Amino acid sequence: MNKILFALLFVSSFTFSQIKGTVKDKDGNPLPFVNIYIENTYIGTTSNELGKYELNTTEQKNVHLIFQYLGFKTQKHVLNITSFPYEFDVTLYEEDFQLKEVVVMNGENPANDIIRNAIKSKKKNAAKTDKFEADFYSRGIFRVKNVPRKVMGIKINDLDGDLNGSLDSTRSGILYQSETVSKIKFQKPDDLKEEIIASKIAGDDNGFSYNTALNTNYDFYENYVDFGINMVSPIADNAFNYYKYKLESTFYDDKNQLINKIAVTPKRDKEPVFEGYIYIVEDTWAIYGIDLDIKGYRMQQPILETMKLTQNFSYNSENKIWAKNIQALDFQAGIFGMKFTGKFTHVFTNYNFKDAFEKKTFGKEIVTFAENANKKEASYWEENRPVPLTEEETSNYVKKDSIQTIRKSQVYLDSIDAKSNKFKLLKLITGYSYKNSFKNWNFNYQGLTNLTSFSFNTVQGFNLDSGFSFRKWNEETGKVTSISSTFNYGFAEDRLRVNGRFYHRFNNRNNAYISLTGGSAISQFNPNEPISNLVNSVASLFFKNNYMKLYNKEFAEINYGQEVTNGVFVNGKVLYENRHALFNNTNHTFIKNDDLYFSNDPLQPYNYTSVPFEQHHIMKASLGTRIRFGQKYISRPDGKINIQNDDYPIISLYYEKAFGASNSNYHYDFVTATIDYNKTIGNKGDFGLRFKAGKFFNADNISFVDYKHFNGNQTHVNLLNNSLNAFNLLPYYSHSTNDAYLETHIEHNFKGYIMNKIPLLNKLQWNLIGGFHQLNIPNMKPYQEFTVGFDNIGWGKFRFLRVDYVRSYQNGYQGDGVMFGVKF
C-alpha cells in the first residue's frame, strides 16, 4: 500500500509540475500571446488573452525562462523552484527602440537592403526547419453578436431559438469552442503525419474537433502564404513589386542579437498583400517575428473584415535555429447586421529537427485520432493545455456541457418534439413534419402548396410537387436510411406522376451506398438538365422561349457505389425505362404575343404533329469510376475526410451498355472519359480545364433519347455555375451525336492579378476571366467559343454576379452574346 501511495504521489508531482503566473506591462495591463520558453529548448507556452500562462516542466534548479513579446524587451529569469505549482509573475517593458547608424547611399531605404538579404537567405533559413517532429496544441473560439431571428425570411434558429444555448438575451454568444493536443511530423512542402491525442468541443462530449495542424503552416519563407487565396509574402522573390518597407527601429534580444523591426505597406491596396510588421534578425536574416494584418477584400473574402496573424519565434543557441513557437489568428467579420469574432491559437513545442525521415513515414493518411481522444478527463487538460483558459472560455465549457446534458436527455427531446410535432388541419395544405430527436428519425409531408417546386413548361403547364419522406440516421457511424416519394401534377396536362426512392448509406468511411428508385417521371432529353425549372419558366412565360424538351418515362433503377480504395470511387447501375414522347399542352404566357411556342421536338421546333422517337422500352447497365490521384485523407472516428491533391488531375471513366430494348436497333455500347484539372498558379489566379471524350459503338439507329447531348445555353443566363461543363451560346440539341465526340473547356480566373494593377478600375475589385470552349464531332467543323468576362461583381460584401462576353465560331464567325451568372 505504501508503494502504491508513493507511486501516486510521484505521478501527481510529475503531472502538475507547473510554472504559472501573469505577464503584464508597466501599467498593469495583461499582455496576451507572450512567447514563454525555457532557454535553448523548444519547451514553451504562451499567455492567454488575460496575460496568464502555464508551463509544464520537471526541472527545478536553474530554470532559465525567457519572456519574449514583440515590441517589448525580452527578459530572462533564472528560477530555483522549491515546489510546484510555482507562481511567477512578470512585468515587461517596452523596447527602447533605436535606429542603428546607417549610411544612406543615393537615397536608398535601409529597410530594402535588409529585405534583400532576407530574400537571399530564406532558402537557407527555411531548410533548417524543413523536417521536424513536435507537440502541437490548437484552440479555436468563434463568437457572434446580434444574430437576427430571420435573414431574408429564413429562420436562424434551432428548437429552442438560441442555437444550442450559444445565444444570450441579446442574441450574442460563443458559437464554437474547441481544442486539440497532438503529435506531428512535418516535412516541407506539405507532408504531414498527425496523431490527435486529445480533442474537446464545448457542448459535445462525443464530438471531435476539426482543429488540426493541417493548413496552419503559414510559412513566410515561401513566396506565397495560402489563405484560400495565395497572399504574397513580404520576403517573396518578387516582394518589391508589391511592398514598400521602412526600418522603424532596431533592438537587441537577450542573446545580444540585433533585431530589425520593418514596417510593411502595400504598393497597391487591392492586391493579395499583408500590412504590418516583420522582424528580421541581423546577419542571419532569419524571421524573429510576424505581426501582420490581412484585409478581407484583399483575400477576396468581403464578409471577413480583418484578420491579424502573429508569429513568435524562439532561438536555440545550440543548433542555431529560430523556430516558430506561437501562432495566433484573430479575425473580425460581419454580414446582415451580425458581427463575428474569433481566435485560433497554435502552440508548437518540443521540436526535434530531423536530417531525414524513415521511408513510408508519410502517406495518404495525414491525421488520425487516438482511442478515446474525446474522453479525456479535466485533469488531463489541466496538465497538457499549454495556454490557460480565460474565464469566458472556462464558463462556456461549463455552460455548454450543462446544456448538453439537459438537451440530449430523452425527456427534454421528447418535450421539444411534442411541441413541434403538433398537428393542425392547415398543415394538410402547408405541410407537416414529425420527428423523434432522441432516436434520430423524422417524417416529412410536403403539403399541397410546395411553392419551391412550382414551375411552368409547355408540356405540363403549371406544375408542382408534393410527397412524403422518412429519414433515420446514426451520427457516430454515418449510417443513413431514407425513403421518399414525389407526386408531380401538371395542370395543363391534367396528369399525376408518382415515383419513389429508397437510399441507404452504410457508413461514412468508404461512403458505400445503395439506392432504388422507380415510378413515373418527366425528364429532359439531356439528363444533365442544362436548363433549370426557374430559367425555363421565366423564358417561357415572359419571352415565349420554351427551350426545355421533355419526355415521359416509367422506370426502375438500382444503383450501388463506394470508395474501393483511397481515391478510387466506383459505382454501378442497372436501369429499365419505358419511354413515351410528349406534346405541348398549353400556349399560356404572361405577355401578349401571337407567336407560337416551339414544339416539344428538340430537332424540329416547328413540327407539332410527329414525335422525335417511337414509344419503346430499354434496359441499361453501366459501370463508372472516379480516380483522384494523390488524394490524402483525415481518419476521424466519425468518418473519413478526403483532401484532393491539386497537383494531379481527376480522371473519370464510364461504360454503358443498352440491351433488352423493344427494338434491337436501340442496343449500343458507349464509353467515355473525363479529365478535370484545377490549379492555383501563384498569385496569378486559378486555372481550370475539363476534357471529355466519348464513343458509341453499334449505335447507328438508337433512340434520340440515348444520344450524347451537350450542355448548351440559349437564355444568356447561367445559374448553374458550370462554366467548365457547358457552352454559352450552343443550342441545346444542335450537336447531339450517336458517334464520337471531344469536349474541351478551359478557363482562367486571374483573381484580380490584372485588374488590381489598373488605377481606378482596381477599386471595383472585379476579377478578369478568360475562357475557351470547343466541341468536336464527326462530319462537322469544330464549334468554338472564346469568352472574356468579370466575376466578383457586386457591392460591399455582396459580390456574386458574373458577366461574360462570348464569341462563337464554326466554319467562321457564328455570333456573339453576353452571359449573366450568379456565383455564391
Side-chain angles (χ1 to χ4, degrees):
M1 175 62 77
N2 289 335
K3 291 182 178 180
I4 295 175
L5 180 60
F6 174 78
L8 290 174
L9 290 172
F10 175 79
V11 170
S12 176
S13 65
F14 179 83
T15 300
F16 295 100
S17 300
Q18 288 182 334
I19 305 170
K20 59 183 182 179
T22 304
V23 186
K24 298 181 179 180
D25 64 14
K26 64 179 182 180
D27 297 322
N29 300 312
L31 295 177
F33 303 110
V34 176
N35 189 13
I36 305 161
Y37 63 98
I38 298 175
E39 186 179 31
N40 292 330
T41 75
Y42 296 107
I43 301 172
T45 185
T46 184
S47 56
N48 66 15
E49 294 170 273
L50 301 179
K52 296 185 180 298
Y53 75 93
E54 294 176 357
L55 178 65
N56 294 327
T57 179
T58 58
E59 301 294 328
Q60 288 186 275
K61 301 298 181 182
N62 297 321
V63 179
H64 293 237
L65 204 58
I66 306 296
F67 292 81
Q68 175 186 318
Y69 191 60
L70 297 179
F72 287 71
K73 291 181 180 179
T74 299
Q75 292 187 16
K76 179 170 69 174
H77 296 272
V78 180
L79 308 182
N80 290 303
I81 300 169
T82 55
S83 63
F84 290 110
Y86 186 78
E87 297 278 349
F88 188 73
D89 297 334
V90 173
T91 299
L92 297 184
Y93 298 90
E94 291 185 25
E95 186 64 64
D96 294 327
F97 292 118
Q98 59 184 11
L99 281 175
K100 64 178 181 177
E101 293 184 6
V102 294
V103 179
V104 179
M105 300 292 292
N106 299 322
E108 172 72 353
N109 181 346
N112 291 350
D113 190 50
I114 297 170
I115 294 297
R116 289 193 189 97
N117 285 319
I119 293 172
K120 290 177 184 177
S121 304
K122 67 179 184 176
K123 287 186 178 179
K124 176 183 67 177
N125 286 319
K128 294 178 180 179
T129 58
D130 64 350
K131 305 178 190 68
F132 64 81
E133 299 174 341
D135 293 336
F136 178 74
Y137 171 78
S138 176
R139 180 154 91 224
I141 188 169
F142 187 66
R143 307 178 188 89
V144 67
K145 186 176 181 180
N146 300 329
V147 178
R149 296 191 180 275
K150 288 185 178 180
V151 172
M152 300 177 67
I154 300 174
K155 288 184 178 180
I156 304 182
N157 270 329
D158 57 3
L159 293 175
D160 295 274
D162 61 1
L163 299 181
N164 291 320
S166 297
L167 305 181
D168 58 23
S169 59
T170 66
R171 306 286 291 171
S172 304
I174 297 176
L175 287 183
Y176 176 80
Q177 179 184 335
S178 70
E179 54 188 330
T180 60
V181 173
S182 60
K183 293 185 177 296
I184 62 174
K185 297 178 181 180
F186 181 78
Q187 177 175 272
K188 289 185 179 180
D190 57 4
D191 287 330
L192 174 68
K193 186 69 175 179
E194 178 177 12
E195 182 185 20
I196 294 180
I197 308 300
S199 173
K200 184 177 178 67
I201 300 178
D204 189 356
D205 57 7
N206 286 319
F208 295 90
S209 171
Y210 286 91
N211 297 355
T212 79
L214 183 67
N215 298 325
T216 64
N217 183 35
Y218 303 124
D219 187 353
F220 286 83
Y221 288 122
E222 299 292 329
N223 287 327
Y224 305 104
V225 185
D226 185 3
F227 280 91
I229 186 172
N230 279 343
M231 308 288 289
V232 180
S233 168
I235 56 172
D237 292 340
N238 60 345
F240 284 98
N241 294 333
Y242 294 90
Y243 294 104
K244 294 181 291 185
Y245 304 95
K246 178 183 177 182
L247 180 59
E248 281 216 347
S249 58
T250 62
F251 61 92
Y252 288 92
D253 71 350
D254 63 303
K255 295 290 193 303
N256 205 34
Q257 298 179 101
L258 183 64
I259 311 300
N260 300 284
K261 180 184 180 182
I262 298 176
V264 178
T265 56
K267 284 188 172 181
R268 292 170 294 273
D269 180 52
K270 306 300 181 182
E271 295 196 289
V273 289
F274 300 93
E275 185 173 4
Y277 297 95
I278 184 170
Y279 296 76
I280 302 294
V281 182
E282 188 80 7
D283 296 330
T284 65
W285 315 114
I287 296 175
Y288 172 88
I290 293 289
D291 186 5
L292 295 171
D293 291 339
I294 313 166
K295 304 296 185 183
Y297 59 83
R298 292 174 181 163
M299 297 171 60
Q300 299 210 352
Q301 298 290 340
I303 294 175
L304 180 67
E305 295 169 357
T306 59
M307 179 181 290
K308 174 180 280 291
L309 172 66
T310 56
Q311 293 180 343
N312 286 295
F313 292 70
S314 60
Y315 183 69
N316 189 321
S317 58
E318 295 178 2
N319 58 21
K320 295 181 171 54
I321 292 177
W322 286 93
K324 179 174 63 180
N325 281 45
I326 310 300
Q327 179 171 274
L329 276 169
D330 288 84
F331 67 86
Q332 295 180 343
I335 193 170
F336 297 123
M338 293 179 284
K339 293 293 183 181
F340 303 95
T341 60
K343 183 185 295 291
F344 288 89
T345 305
H346 307 133
V347 180
F348 300 81
T349 57
N350 297 322
Y351 278 106
N352 178 18
F353 294 102
K354 312 279 286 189
D355 294 326
F357 281 102
E358 296 180 0
K359 290 183 178 181
K360 298 183 179 181
T361 296
F362 302 102
K364 304 304 181 187
E365 185 181 52
I366 57 177
V367 180
T368 60
F369 282 72
E371 186 176 358
N372 295 322
N374 64 336
K375 303 297 183 184
K376 300 296 184 183
E377 299 290 340
S379 58
Y380 173 89
W381 289 103
E382 290 174 8
E383 174 192 355
N384 291 280
R385 179 187 290 123
V387 184
L389 297 176
T390 63
E391 292 182 9
E392 177 193 36
E393 291 167 330
T394 300
S395 62
N396 186 60
Y397 270 135
V398 174
K399 172 187 173 183
K400 291 287 181 65
D401 291 345
S402 299
I403 290 174
Q404 176 195 227
T405 301
I406 296 171
R407 294 189 178 182
K408 278 195 172 183
S409 68
Q410 184 171 1
V411 172
Y412 174 82
L413 292 173
D414 287 348
S415 66
I416 294 296
D417 287 344
K419 184 187 301 183
S420 63
N421 290 342
K422 288 181 179 179
F423 179 78
K424 298 178 181 179
L425 286 178
L426 184 62
K427 292 188 176 183
L428 288 173
I429 298 174
T430 61
Y432 173 70
S433 293
Y434 184 93
K435 65 174 61 177
N436 188 319
S437 300
F438 185 76
K439 295 185 177 180
N440 293 331
W441 64 265
N442 62 38
F443 169 82
N444 181 63
Y445 160 60
Q446 293 182 9
L448 299 177
T449 56
N450 181 12
L451 297 181
T452 60
S453 69
F454 190 67
S455 65
F456 176 86
N457 63 69
T458 52
V459 172
Q460 297 178 290
F462 290 103
N463 67 96
L464 55 77
D465 294 343
S466 185
F468 302 90
S469 63
F470 170 84
R471 184 173 182 268
K472 185 173 176 60
W473 65 94
N474 185 310
E475 293 180 353
E476 292 187 7
T477 64
K479 186 182 294 185
V480 177
T481 302
S482 66
I483 303 172
S484 61
S485 63
T486 300
F487 297 81
N488 173 261
Y489 181 74
F491 290 89
E493 193 184 22
D494 190 22
R495 180 168 179 177
L496 177 68
R497 293 178 174 87
V498 181
N499 61 73
R501 182 174 187 260
F502 168 83
Y503 172 84
H504 179 76
R505 186 177 71 181
F506 295 90
N507 59 70
N508 55 6
R509 302 202 66 81
N510 65 7
N511 288 310
Y513 74 91
I514 188 170
S515 67
L516 301 168
T517 56
S520 178
I522 191 167
S523 294
Q524 296 188 47
F525 283 81
N526 185 343
N528 293 324
E529 299 186 345
I531 181 168
S532 68
N533 286 332
L534 174 61
V535 171
N536 182 73
S537 298
V538 173
S540 299
L541 293 170
F542 291 93
F543 303 98
K544 220 161 189 182
N545 292 323
N546 58 323
Y547 296 119
M548 182 181 286
K549 306 304 174 185
L550 304 162
Y551 73 96
N552 187 83
K553 64 182 182 182
E554 286 84 33
F555 71 102
E557 176 184 309
I558 182 169
N559 198 329
Y560 179 84
Q562 72 170 74
E563 187 179 37
V564 294
T565 188
N566 181 54
V568 180
F569 191 90
V570 174
N571 69 290
K573 178 172 67 176
V574 177
L575 168 69
Y576 166 83
E577 284 189 357
N578 184 26
R579 300 161 170 170
H580 306 261
L582 298 170
F583 293 92
N584 289 345
N585 289 291
T586 182
N587 199 43
H588 181 73
T589 180
F590 285 169
I591 60 172
K592 292 183 178 180
N593 191 326
D594 295 330
D595 294 339
L596 295 176
Y597 280 112
F598 292 132
S599 74
N600 191 48
D601 188 331
L603 299 178
Q604 302 181 81
Y606 299 102
N607 186 339
Y608 297 91
T609 57
S610 64
V611 294
F613 65 90
E614 298 295 331
Q615 178 181 343
H616 65 279
H617 63 256
I618 193 170
M619 295 187 69
K620 293 182 182 181
S622 62
L623 183 67
T625 183
R626 183 185 69 241
I627 305 171
R628 288 182 170 180
F629 296 99
Q631 175 180 281
K632 297 181 180 181
Y633 63 94
I634 297 173
S635 290
R636 293 170 55 90
D638 56 358
K640 176 173 180 267
I641 299 177
N642 295 323
I643 301 170
Q644 183 181 331
N645 189 333
D646 65 1
D647 290 333
Y648 303 97
I650 299 173
I651 294 179
S652 301
L653 305 172
Y654 180 80
Y655 169 71
E656 180 178 271
K657 183 174 184 62
F659 61 96
S662 52
N663 185 336
S664 61
N665 289 333
Y666 292 165
H667 297 169
Y668 66 88
D669 296 272
F670 172 64
V671 294
T672 182
T674 303
I675 299 176
D676 291 295
Y677 182 69
N678 296 276
K679 182 72 174 178
T680 298
I681 304 175
N683 68 320
K684 299 174 179 61
D686 297 336
F687 174 78
L689 66 82
R690 168 171 281 194
F691 294 130
K692 299 170 71 176
K695 179 72 171 75
F696 285 86
F697 298 92
N698 307 313
D700 292 342
N701 298 302
I702 65 174
S703 166
F704 184 71
V705 177
D706 295 312
Y707 275 46
K708 171 61 182 179
H709 306 293
F710 302 99
N711 298 332
N713 199 322
Q714 294 172 261
T715 66
H716 298 279
V717 175
N718 181 6
L719 301 181
L720 301 178
N721 193 21
N722 60 347
S723 57
L724 284 176
N725 195 39
F727 298 92
N728 297 279
L729 302 179
L730 180 72
Y732 292 105
Y733 297 100
S734 62
H735 287 64
S736 298
T737 184
N738 61 344
D739 200 343
Y741 68 90
L742 173 64
E743 275 187 81
T744 303
H745 302 277
I746 300 174
E747 182 175 276
H748 187 80
N749 187 333
F750 288 89
K751 288 288 187 179
Y753 178 70
I754 294 177
M755 293 290 291
N756 288 343
K757 295 175 174 59
I758 304 175
L760 297 181
L761 289 180
N762 61 5
K763 295 183 181 300
L764 297 172
Q765 300 179 49
W766 293 0
N767 294 334
L768 179 66
I769 302 176
F772 171 74
H773 307 268
Q774 179 167 298
L775 175 60
N776 299 76
I777 61 174
N779 304 318
M780 294 182 72
K781 293 288 185 179
Y783 173 83
Q784 298 175 326
E785 291 179 352
F786 297 87
T787 68
V788 60
F790 300 98
D791 83 343
N792 205 43
I793 300 173
W795 55 94
K797 297 180 179 182
F798 303 95
R799 297 185 167 273
F800 50 83
L801 299 177
R802 171 171 172 168
V803 178
D804 291 274
Y805 172 71
V806 187
R807 289 179 69 91
S808 63
Y809 297 84
Q810 187 168 27
N811 197 24
Y813 171 73
Q814 289 290 303
D816 61 357
V818 177
M819 293 293 298
F820 299 90
V822 177
K823 282 183 69 174
F824 292 99

